[in-house]
Amino acid sequence: MQLYPTLMLSNIVKHYLIIRHEQEVFANYRLFSDGNPGLVFHFKDPFLQESDRHSNSVQPHSFLYGQMTHFNDIRSVGKLDMLIVVLQPHALRALLNLSASELNNTVVPLRTVFGQEGDDIENRVLSSANRAEAIKAIEQMLISRVNRFQQADRLIDCAIDLIYHANGMIAVSDITKELPVTERQLERKFKEQIGIGPKKFMDVIKFQHFLKSMQKFPLDVKLSQVIYACGYYDQAHLNNCFKRHVGVTPMQYRNNTHLLAINLMQVL
């Protein structure tokens, strides 16, 4: 279930995602980038996070995650009940006043990044009577933090808008023609405020657009009808993108009936 933030936070929060399963679930999942960082609150059993090939660590009950530059494998070991705050791409800079790239591929407990405020919001959210009350507490905290720090600059907002409007099918040179910025400046600003460079961000948004387009078509529709419209040259080009982003083939993803989110799929 997706819920949307108050208008005051629409520039910081993209949406809230509620994932809940009444039965205990013991399954492996693969998480990959959608271009957004976020906050996660586990009301029940946290996922096991793959630390390396030989060990797993239990995710905190509440944590912040940054941009992902590679897919990650996690495992559910009980009841699923999660609230995910999907942030806008530049939100970490606005909330923490640090370079977003410092948090790439990280899972950081809220108490580590927010101090006592992190402990307080975890307690308020996890003890809330319902999800509406939990979201209200989260929004109060986020509004407080955004008011303390400088907002992401307007140039980055405009660049992100151009990329989303083009569904990722745009060149850096097109952006520098539209905005008063050089390619080198744009690269630096993206890494500081989003965590990854503009080309990598475009690649992620383009791939997400393909996944959303693919979901609109019945399973008996050929992928070739979607490939060219989404900016991919041919099936081989798409296969390489799937291998890089998800580690599975397009048909394995398309036939998967156990998606918790568009970028969170069950794997065997």
Side-chain angles (χ1 to χ4, degrees):
M1 178 190 300
Q2 280 189 14
L3 300 172
Y4 293 94
T6 179
L7 184 61
M8 188 181 301
L9 277 174
S10 60
N11 194 43
I12 295 297
V13 177
K14 188 170 185 179
H15 58 256
Y16 302 98
L17 182 61
I18 297 172
I19 298 176
R20 184 182 293 169
H21 204 294
E22 295 299 329
Q23 304 296 324
E24 289 190 335
V25 179
F26 297 86
N28 297 314
Y29 291 92
R30 180 155 295 168
L31 177 67
F32 55 95
S33 178
D34 62 356
N36 304 288
L39 310 175
V40 173
F41 296 88
H42 284 292
F43 292 87
K44 298 293 185 181
D45 301 306
F47 283 115
L48 289 181
Q49 179 99 26
E50 185 176 280
S51 300
D52 55 44
R53 294 182 179 179
H54 305 290
S55 66
N56 295 309
S57 59
V58 180
Q59 288 184 342
H61 273 279
S62 70
F63 62 88
L64 176 150
Y65 64 91
Q67 291 282 356
M68 290 181 287
T69 61
H70 53 77
F71 60 79
N72 291 284
D73 289 330
I74 53 181
R75 179 172 176 79
S76 60
V77 291
K79 292 185 177 180
L80 289 178
D81 193 353
M82 305 166 61
L83 173 58
I84 304 173
V85 185
V86 181
L87 298 172
Q88 297 287 5
H90 65 271
L92 293 185
R93 177 73 168 181
L95 292 173
L96 299 171
N97 200 32
L98 53 71
S99 175
S101 62
E102 294 182 28
L103 294 168
N104 286 358
N105 302 309
T106 60
V107 168
V108 187
L110 291 192
R111 67 177 63 90
T112 300
V113 288
F114 295 145
Q116 183 60 47
E117 194 174 16
D119 278 331
D120 292 343
I121 193 60
E122 177 179 299
N123 292 334
R124 289 183 64 191
V125 169
L126 298 185
S127 64
S128 59
N130 52 58
R131 296 302 169 263
E133 183 179 298
I135 289 173
K136 182 178 179 180
I138 293 168
E139 292 199 331
Q140 289 173 346
M141 185 271 289
L142 294 178
I143 290 170
S144 172
R145 292 200 67 86
V146 169
N147 288 340
R148 293 179 223 169
F149 302 122
Q150 183 180 1
Q151 296 282 339
D153 64 48
R154 180 60 183 158
L155 189 145
I156 287 296
D157 287 345
C158 291
I160 292 173
D161 287 345
L162 288 171
I163 293 169
Y164 275 125
H165 183 72
N167 294 315
M169 292 176 280
I170 188 173
V172 172
S173 59
D174 295 326
I175 295 178
T176 57
K177 289 176 184 176
E178 291 283 337
L179 302 175
V181 64
T182 66
E183 184 169 338
R184 185 175 181 180
Q185 289 170 333
L186 191 67
E187 178 80 15
R188 176 179 58 80
K189 284 178 175 288
F190 260 73
K191 288 186 176 179
E192 286 180 353
Q193 299 190 34
I194 297 178
I196 55 179
K199 291 181 181 178
K200 175 67 175 177
F201 184 71
M202 292 169 188
D203 185 42
V204 171
I205 300 309
K206 177 180 173 180
F207 186 69
Q208 287 292 310
H209 173 63
F210 176 83
L211 296 182
K212 293 171 185 176
S213 299
M214 184 171 61
Q215 288 184 341
K216 297 176 183 178
F217 289 86
L219 288 176
D220 58 351
V221 173
K222 293 182 178 180
L223 281 177
S224 58
Q225 296 182 22
V226 190
I227 290 173
Y228 299 112
C230 293
Y232 294 101
Y233 306 129
D234 51 30
Q235 184 74 51
H237 184 201
L238 179 67
N239 289 345
N240 288 334
C241 288
F242 259 86
K243 183 177 181 181
R244 184 172 69 253
H245 285 281
V246 195
V248 300
T249 68
M251 291 310 298
Q252 285 174 321
Y253 179 89
R254 195 183 197 194
N255 293 331
N256 194 302
T257 58
H258 300 286
L259 296 178
L260 294 184
I262 196 169
N263 65 325
L264 180 57
M265 60 178 286
Q266 186 173 330
V267 291
L268 300 176

